[in-house]
Amino acid sequence: MKELKGKKYHIITFGCQMNEHDSETIAGLLQTEGCSEAEDRSDADIVIINTCSVRENADKRFFGTLGQLKKQKAIKPGFTACVCGCMMQQEHIVSAIRRQYPWVDVIFGTHNIDEFPDMLLQLYQSRAAALEDAGKTAGNEDLIPLSDRDYTRAKHEIRSARESRVERIYEDRKEIVEGLPARRLYRHKAFVNIMYGCNNFCTYCIVPYTRGREKSRHPEDILREVRQLVSDGVKEVTLLGQNVNSYRGVSPEDDRTWDFADLIYALNEIEDLERIRFMTSHPKDLSDKLIQAFRDCGKLCHYIHLPVQCGSTEILGRMNRRYTREHYLALVKKLREAVPDITISTDIIVGFPGETEEDFCQTLDLVKEVEYDSAFTFLYSKRHGTPAAEYEDQIPEEVKHQRFDRLVDALNGISLRKNQAYIGRTEKVLVDSISRKGTGTLSGRTDGFKLVDFSGSEDLIGSTVDVEITEGKTFSLRGRRK
Ligand code: 5AD
Ligand code: SF4
């Protein structure tokens, strides 16, 4: 599309890995049309905010960032402001944008990413038509003093944005769109969606409303994508889905339905692929077959993210998680028996409506029993349109915060102890990047997903090296190359 060629874009991503990967796809689509990434947001012709509705204060952060774009729009002719992602699947958010941010040019949802270049084209065409009309009626622009001209133009641009805004949202399409390009963050590792959406309706969660119903990709499409990635130099893939354990992909070749473990076994056969990871795994659907796959498939990393959310069976019921505390603990035991060195991380929500001190102590107890390697902790917060937002027994903020701090203390103590136990061991580390600590220090991940910093030169990025662990900290390890 000649209208897009040469334009510079900048993407601001909020939220989870699914969103990160959507942003990679958006970048891939734009690059295919001849756009390039801007060095900085202020250089960009097109800014896209990819939103999240799960994280806390997501609304506040999003509207704050959006407000800043208005200034950019006012001074840069032809500037295009786009918003997409989970929040755009919520009607009250979209109507707030229409009301308070009428200068936003393009709004699209999680089901319309592939249509983005086409939406931009539509925008540019209607803008051109509007400008032509305005030119005819406004008369001779040269008569407007220079200082006022910018102002006039900015006002005009904002008006024409409102008139030509392109919106494609809400509808959940049946078919998965295959073959979209992606501009990956790393050369040596990649995210691969194996399914979209969620059917679980945990009572606190907005995802089933924003990402729609569960849909699995065909196994052949996934295998083809991974083979292609590997031939481009990728060594590690992370399979993404809201609940990968309920993957059911139908092969168009023989109509056979593959489950998640079948997929792992097939991916394990791909030559030159080194590591397979996945995210996220719902405890209610974790099968014995998958546990067996950890033993049989050498490329499947010994790491699992297994969100527990809460340690009280009563609260788990109100969350609609459909497992009990005992079931969860039995799963952990089974995993550890099958794979003794497996590392386990989790998500925990503190202060879900109705959570008593006793319920909370059960969470603390469970954390100590499982001994998680790491955990993401969340203060419960209401999500508009979810059942739990209507529950009457909401927990006061100060109680939530106090419990949160107690939980984090317990988790951090365990992480530190577990990480210190690595001292003296040699781990295989896939090197990701220069460490945030500065030049000369590299960062990578062990098979068990532990972050390791060590000294080394940049040319090691993308390779797997042996590192002897010399220090265990709460959130990372330090080591030296063997
Ligand atoms: N409040 C707090 N945490 C939430 N999560 C999802 N919805 C909410 C909410 N309303 C957390 C869950 C989930 C993680 C991605 O985000 O722990 O596993
Ligand atoms: Fe949300 Fe539950 Fe689905 Fe996870 S499984 S995305 S928490 S509804």
Side-chain angles (χ1 to χ4, degrees):
M1 293 174 189
K2 66 178 189 326
E3 288 81 355
L4 297 188
K5 216 173 166 115
K7 295 244 186 305
K8 292 198 174 137
Y9 66 86
H10 178 79
I11 307 177
I12 302 163
T13 309
F14 292 108
C16 64
Q17 283 160 327
M18 197 74 85
N19 261 22
E20 293 275 357
H21 188 44
D22 284 349
S23 291
E24 290 183 339
T25 306
I26 294 167
L29 286 164
L30 292 175
Q31 298 226 339
T32 309
E33 297 300 337
C35 301
S36 61
E37 191 173 3
E39 301 243 321
D40 186 78
R41 188 170 95 189
S42 58
D43 292 336
D45 305 301
I46 306 169
V47 171
I48 303 121
I49 310 182
N50 188 1
T51 61
C52 160
S53 17
V54 175
R55 298 286 154 97
E56 206 157 344
N57 287 328
D59 305 23
K60 239 190 243 157
R61 288 173 63 205
F62 164 61
F63 284 117
T65 314
L66 195 53
Q68 294 161 14
L69 287 194
K70 186 172 183 184
K71 285 195 202 108
Q72 200 163 343
K73 176 134 194 139
I75 54 173
K76 189 158 184 155
F79 179 79
T80 303
C82 313
V83 291
C84 65
C86 285
M87 281 173 88
M88 300 312 123
Q89 297 295 128
Q90 294 178 271
E91 216 158 336
H92 70 285
I93 300 279
V94 174
S95 46
I97 296 174
R98 289 192 196 113
R99 241 184 4 256
Q100 294 162 34
Y101 304 84
W103 44 269
V104 168
D105 299 293
V106 178
I107 307 178
F108 60 107
T110 51
H111 309 294
N112 312 77
I113 292 176
D114 57 303
E115 298 171 17
F116 181 45
D118 180 53
M119 297 169 77
L120 284 174
L121 178 68
Q122 189 183 331
L123 174 82
Y124 292 146
Q125 286 172 342
S126 56
R127 254 188 203 169
L131 278 170
E132 206 179 286
D133 278 358
K136 278 184 210 141
T137 47
N140 191 345
E141 230 207 12
D142 288 345
L143 295 178
I144 304 171
L146 208 58
S147 57
D148 291 346
R149 228 183 276 163
D150 277 350
Y151 176 71
T152 312
R153 191 180 55 215
K155 260 181 53 177
H156 174 74
E157 294 240 345
I158 287 171
R159 195 174 57 238
S160 83
R162 185 165 38 215
E163 282 158 11
S164 45
R165 185 173 54 233
V166 186
E167 288 183 16
R168 292 193 202 166
I169 33 183
Y170 306 135
E171 78 268 30
D172 186 356
R173 290 180 296 177
K174 283 212 173 61
E175 290 299 314
I176 292 173
V177 183
E178 286 294 341
L180 298 183
R183 185 171 179 277
R184 285 183 282 109
L185 239 46
Y186 295 96
R187 286 190 54 151
H188 60 279
K189 61 178 190 178
F191 295 126
V192 175
N193 276 114
I194 61 164
M195 59 202 297
Y196 299 90
C198 183
N199 290 351
N200 289 311
F201 291 91
C202 302
T203 53
Y204 51 79
C205 185
I206 194 76
V207 170
Y209 309 92
T210 61
R211 294 239 171 217
R213 291 297 69 71
E214 226 168 58
K215 283 191 276 295
S216 294
R217 289 177 69 193
H218 297 306
E220 285 85 351
D221 288 332
I222 299 169
L223 290 169
R224 192 175 312 117
E225 180 177 344
V226 175
R227 279 193 207 102
Q228 182 60 50
L229 288 167
V230 170
S231 72
D232 293 344
V234 164
K235 294 181 169 170
E236 176 184 298
V237 290
T238 302
L239 310 174
L240 294 180
Q242 302 299 342
N243 175 17
V244 292
N245 295 330
S246 62
Y247 173 81
R248 295 288 179 277
V250 180
S251 160
E253 280 166 22
D254 58 8
D255 260 359
R256 184 166 83 89
T257 302
W258 296 39
D259 63 21
F260 183 53
D262 295 330
L263 189 64
I264 299 277
Y265 278 95
L267 289 166
N268 193 56
E269 296 302 314
I270 296 179
E271 211 177 317
D272 293 331
L273 177 63
E274 287 181 16
R275 286 177 168 181
I276 304 167
R277 300 188 187 282
F278 59 84
M279 237 182 167
T280 290
S281 211
H282 195 306
K284 79 177 165 58
D285 300 313
L286 182 78
S287 67
D288 288 348
K289 194 168 159 190
L290 180 64
I291 297 180
Q292 187 57 37
F294 275 110
R295 296 173 67 101
D296 296 338
C297 302
K299 295 176 183 179
L300 184 58
C301 290
H302 288 185
Y303 164 64
I304 189 163
H305 183 64
L306 196 62
V308 65
Q309 311 297 2
C310 176
S312 143
T313 297
E314 164 93 28
I315 298 292
L316 286 170
R318 290 173 57 114
M319 287 177 163
N320 190 31
R321 292 291 288 175
R322 289 180 277 161
Y323 54 83
T324 60
R325 168 194 179 87
E326 290 70 31
H327 176 80
Y328 185 92
L329 288 170
L331 265 183
V332 169
K333 188 159 172 267
K334 234 196 269 182
L335 276 163
R336 290 222 165 104
E337 272 165 15
V339 193
D341 65 343
I342 196 162
T343 51
I344 306 180
S345 62
T346 200
D347 291 343
I348 301 174
I349 299 176
V350 174
F352 185 79
E355 182 188 74
T356 61
E357 172 63 21
E358 202 193 329
D359 291 318
F360 173 69
C361 286
Q362 292 203 37
T363 301
L364 272 183
D365 242 35
L366 179 133
V367 157
K368 288 176 192 156
E369 187 165 341
V370 175
E371 301 207 296
Y372 290 106
D373 288 275
S374 62
F376 296 99
T377 42
F378 302 88
L379 288 161
Y380 169 74
S381 68
K382 288 183 184 177
R383 292 289 172 267
H384 189 89
T386 58
E390 307 299 321
Y391 291 175
E392 306 232 307
D393 39 7
Q394 301 286 332
I395 305 294
E397 284 306 309
E398 64 276 14
V399 176
K400 280 194 224 171
H401 280 272
Q402 185 244 36
R403 288 181 187 163
F404 185 88
D405 292 346
R406 284 158 68 197
L407 177 66
V408 169
D409 277 350
L411 285 163
N412 286 353
I414 295 166
S415 299
L416 178 63
R417 196 153 30 78
K418 293 209 109 180
N419 285 346
Q420 284 174 341
Y422 278 75
I423 296 172
R425 283 201 224 170
T426 297
E427 290 282 319
K428 292 226 172 301
V429 174
L430 177 55
V431 186
D432 284 332
S433 55
I434 295 177
S435 160
R436 277 197 222 155
K437 306 209 162 59
T439 42
T441 310
L442 300 174
S443 251
R445 297 271 176 183
T446 66
D447 183 283
F449 206 56
K450 302 258 179 202
L451 185 66
V452 186
D453 289 319
F454 66 101
S455 298
S457 66
E458 232 175 284
D459 54 323
L460 289 176
I461 293 174
S463 56
T464 308
V465 296
D466 282 332
V467 176
E468 184 187 334
I469 307 304
T470 53
E471 194 185 338
K473 297 187 270 189
T474 308
F475 303 109
S476 66
L477 306 173
R478 220 194 132 86
R480 81 168 78 84
R481 200 173 161 209
K482 284 276 259 193

